[in-house]
Amino acid sequence: MKRDFIFQKIFSLAVLSTMLCFMQPTLAKNSALKAAYVYQFCQYIWWPDDKEDLNIAVVGGQNSDFESIAGSIVDGKKLKVKYLNSLGASNGGFDVYFFFKGSEDIFNKMVEVIPKGALTIADEGFAADKSDAVLYLVRVGTKLKFSINQDVAKTNSIGFNSRLLKVAHPVEKTTVNKGLIKKQGFNNRVSDDRVDSFVAKR
Amino acid sequence: MKWFLPFFLAIISHYSFAAERNYLDFSLEQLVDYDIYSPPVLQSHIHWAGELMVAYHYSHTRTDGMGSAETALSTHDVFNDYTYMVTPTAMNMDMHMLHFMYAVSDQTTYMLRLHHMAMEMEHETRMGGEFTTQSNGFGDIAISMNHQVNEWSDHEGNVRQFVHASLLLPTGDIDAKDTTPMSGGGQVQLPYGMQLGSGSYQARFGLGVDKLTAKDSFGAFLMAKGALDKNDAGYRIAPEASLDAWYQRSLSNNFSAGLSGSLTWRGDISGRDDRLNPNLVPTADRDNYGGQWAEMGASVSYLIDGTYRVGMSASLPVWQDLSGLQLRKKSVIELILELTL
Ligand SMILES: [Cu+2]
């Protein structure tokens, strides 16, 4: 009986340690999915003809999140990925900006230096002012979808392929969430009626 | 014990072949239709890194009427063909399960399962009397891991491969007692099937595969479970193996419905609990355990706000082949409440 007991303990430890072996960081899957979105977006945006590379700034994530698309060629243009985690002099001059959830502060401060014509994309669950990002990811039911801020796109002279417009999750006019949005730290520069028109239907 | 080896090897070998996949093959339309929630199947349940899920499952299992091999037997048949003094006639089990899941990475989710069982067995004696025995309490705690070893996409969707490992701790009672008309008012040891735990450390290993497309998901899971050694009462509960297959279809962004099928094999109890008299009632005889079951089920599931999921499922046996003489399974109904943080 005693030998049995020791055997059980040893085997149990073996099973547990096998389980713990898997506890190593592996490639983040959700960021791979988001990277794939950025890859698709780059394909359906009208870029100026003279652009050779597309410089992508990834703000607030891990330094390997967009590895899967770095170096890919879209429409003859090479995707170059740079990871930004704080405010710095080099924050301007990118063609695409992706803001991960949690980088709201940086987003609000960076808005000033983002060049006109740059494509800004906000993560799902992004609490800051979505109406300043051209595109944003949004969870709809069991899916991860995206919506377009048409007005912001227009102000920034960004043109979309109609396929992007067709697939985008529709933005519906609603006033119900206005108070909540303000509480969540929506940018004060945006007037109430602009908020009204940019709240996505959940 | 030997059956552990192939599973162990499979897990290790799967692990070393773990490959990266990417979603770059997806079109824009496929991306927006891709299900980021695992289908409501516990075995292939993984979450995104950092997600915590609490799931509550309630199930009611009903067994009714005796049977041997594939044949149903009436109480009359049992007393005519066998020498037992008492026979069970039906059993109800209510189970409350609490799962805590935490994803340490996008590939690996750990789980802790606690469950409480309440069982009630109805009997008839050879003299025509009737009585019921009951047991209730917490069962064996399970510590589990679901790990996605591989994922690749084709033009329709994503295929994922999983391994599962669990360690079950002997926290459930194996000394549950109750009174019977024959016990003269005293408490007697209840049979194997009325005990809340196994009394042994148990391991469970599984391999699974599923495919998620824009509109539906389907998969299969193979599992084996066994006790590592005999318990203090001198027996080892029966090993078990099962094959589950399921199909889920999204009917809207939030609502899905599914069909499932399972094949279960249960082996024999080894050793015996000397506190039981195997000549008195079939459930006290270790030879009346084990068998094979084929079941079919249907389910619906609704996701609220991306945070809560409520679901319901029901399954019925379509075929059962019982070792010895035992109660026949009738139905399982399950209610599911999940909260993802
Ligand atoms: Cu879960």
Side-chain angles (χ1 to χ4, degrees):
Chain A
M1 209 66 206
K2 186 148 195 230
R3 191 198 59 83
D4 288 354
F5 187 67
I6 290 168
F7 174 77
Q8 293 204 22
K9 278 274 150 68
I10 291 173
F11 202 96
S12 304
L13 278 174
V15 174
L16 271 182
S17 42
T18 312
M19 281 194 232
L20 289 176
C21 283
F22 291 89
M23 196 147 85
Q24 57 172 60
T26 27
L27 186 84
K29 175 182 173 177
N30 54 13
S31 7
L33 192 62
K34 289 163 189 171
Y37 261 115
V38 173
Y39 177 82
Q40 290 291 333
F41 294 153
C42 289
Q43 240 171 80
Y44 296 113
I45 301 284
W46 306 123
W47 299 106
D49 287 339
D50 55 343
K51 252 191 202 324
E52 282 180 7
D53 299 329
L54 288 177
N55 290 298
I56 302 173
V58 178
V59 186
Q62 304 285 316
N63 277 3
S64 55
D65 281 337
F66 277 39
E67 215 144 70
S68 51
I69 61 165
S72 316
I73 310 286
V74 169
D75 221 6
K77 299 173 180 60
K78 193 171 182 184
L79 302 187
K80 291 186 169 171
V81 176
K82 200 166 173 199
Y83 300 94
L84 305 180
N85 285 302
S86 59
L87 279 173
S90 61
N91 288 345
F94 289 93
D95 304 299
V96 179
Y97 289 82
F98 185 89
F99 292 92
F100 269 103
K101 189 158 52 184
S103 65
E104 285 84 350
D105 283 351
I106 308 180
F107 176 83
N108 283 329
K109 286 174 192 150
M110 260 172 84
V111 163
E112 310 298 330
V113 296
I114 293 173
K116 192 176 145 90
L119 174 68
T120 45
I121 307 161
D123 198 358
E124 51 102 12
F126 201 71
D129 185 9
K130 271 178 188 157
S131 57
D132 268 353
V134 178
L135 299 172
Y136 54 93
L137 302 179
V138 54
R139 278 201 195 195
V140 182
T142 61
K143 330 268 187 205
L144 184 67
K145 301 190 182 236
F146 71 94
S147 287
I148 303 175
N149 268 329
Q150 297 273 18
D151 290 15
V152 182
K154 234 170 264 165
T155 335
N156 284 287
S157 348
I158 289 174
F160 306 108
N161 181 306
S162 60
R163 186 161 166 199
L164 197 74
L165 297 168
K166 217 179 91 196
V167 180
H169 186 65
V171 176
E172 267 192 24
K173 189 175 161 69
T174 167
T175 52
V176 181
N177 291 327
K178 201 160 67 184
L180 183 71
I181 290 150
K182 293 214 124 174
K183 243 188 280 164
Q184 283 176 342
F186 258 60
N187 202 315
N188 294 329
R189 288 182 290 114
V190 183
S191 67
D192 279 358
D193 40 311
R194 271 195 72 198
V195 172
D196 286 348
S197 54
F198 295 138
V199 177
K201 191 194 172 199
R202 284 192 59 103
Chain B
M1 192 65 61
K2 291 187 195 76
W3 58 266
F4 275 128
L5 211 60
F7 275 95
F8 223 83
L9 289 175
I11 287 178
I12 302 299
S13 65
H14 263 78
Y15 189 38
S16 48
F17 285 119
E20 281 177 22
R21 125 301 310 97
N22 64 59
Y23 298 96
L24 298 191
D25 304 336
F26 278 15
S27 70
L28 197 58
E29 288 79 0
Q30 282 175 320
L31 277 176
V32 298
D33 259 341
Y34 180 65
D35 239 316
I36 56 172
Y37 281 77
S38 280
V41 177
L42 271 180
Q43 298 91 327
S44 57
H45 214 111
I46 57 161
H47 291 266
W48 279 5
E51 266 182 358
L52 177 72
M53 184 169 113
V54 184
Y56 165 77
H57 289 223
Y58 161 77
S59 71
H60 178 83
T61 308
R62 170 99 184 141
T63 53
D64 195 5
M66 295 297 279
S68 180
E70 295 177 42
T71 321
L73 299 173
S74 68
T75 309
H76 185 80
D77 295 333
V78 172
F79 287 133
N80 268 349
D81 302 351
Y82 299 84
T83 56
Y84 297 109
M85 294 307 292
V86 178
T87 179
T89 52
M91 180 176 166
N92 290 313
M93 180 170 76
D94 288 295
M95 186 150 73
H96 302 273
M97 266 196 277
L98 212 49
H99 283 93
F100 297 93
M101 312 187 184
Y102 182 73
V104 290
S105 70
D106 285 340
Q107 282 74 25
T108 309
T109 294
Y110 289 101
M111 287 184 281
L112 180 73
R113 185 202 68 189
L114 309 171
H115 69 287
H116 182 276
M117 289 182 282
M119 291 179 277
E120 206 178 66
M121 195 180 270
E122 294 154 31
H123 301 81
E124 216 175 299
T125 66
R126 196 172 274 274
M127 318 308 288
E130 286 176 16
F131 70 96
T132 304
T133 54
Q134 290 172 333
S135 64
N136 63 77
F138 286 94
D140 289 346
I141 290 174
I143 302 165
S144 317
M145 176 204 71
N146 284 338
H147 178 79
Q148 178 189 297
V149 283
N150 222 333
E151 181 175 27
W152 64 92
S153 25
D154 58 24
H155 60 284
E156 292 175 308
N158 256 29
V159 182
R160 312 184 297 175
Q161 273 181 306
F162 295 94
V163 292
H164 168 100
S166 285
L167 181 68
L168 286 82
L169 312 176
T171 52
D173 196 4
I174 56 165
D175 303 316
K177 293 178 175 65
D178 201 356
T179 53
T180 71
M182 290 74 79
S183 69
Q187 299 260 318
V188 287
Q189 173 72 15
L190 290 173
Y192 308 96
M194 289 290 282
Q195 296 301 326
L196 304 159
S198 67
S200 309
Y201 285 86
Q202 292 183 84
R204 180 170 59 200
F205 294 113
L207 294 172
V209 62
D210 66 18
K211 181 166 182 175
L212 312 178
T213 76
K215 282 276 156 270
D216 54 11
S217 53
F218 48 94
F221 218 90
L222 183 67
M223 289 257 235
K225 180 179 87 170
L228 302 177
D229 239 312
K230 280 181 181 158
N231 58 25
D232 291 343
Y235 67 95
R236 171 154 74 199
I237 68 151
E240 211 174 279
S242 61
L243 177 68
D244 288 88
W246 49 268
Y247 175 84
Q248 280 278 331
R249 188 163 181 90
S250 314
L251 301 173
S252 76
N253 280 332
N254 297 71
F255 188 64
S256 69
L259 291 173
S260 63
S262 74
L263 285 171
T264 308
W265 166 87
R266 192 177 300 141
D268 299 327
I269 294 172
S270 53
R272 53 166 293 189
D273 188 338
D274 289 327
R275 294 171 292 182
L276 299 169
N277 174 2
N279 302 316
L280 186 66
V281 57
T283 46
D285 186 345
R286 60 150 203 210
D287 292 332
N288 296 324
Y289 283 88
Q292 295 158 80
W293 293 261
E295 286 164 80
M296 298 280 278
S299 65
V300 285
S301 146
Y302 190 79
L303 189 78
I304 306 163
D305 251 9
T307 307
Y308 303 93
R309 171 141 59 192
V310 290
M312 209 180 121
S313 73
S315 71
L316 301 168
V318 288
W319 174 76
Q320 43 195 324
D321 181 9
L322 310 169
S323 307
L325 176 66
Q326 49 179 302
L327 284 165
R328 286 166 65 85
K329 204 167 185 175
K330 273 279 134 61
S331 62
V332 183
I333 294 168
E334 193 171 27
L335 294 173
I336 301 154
L337 268 174
E338 290 175 354
L339 169 63
T340 307
L341 299 170

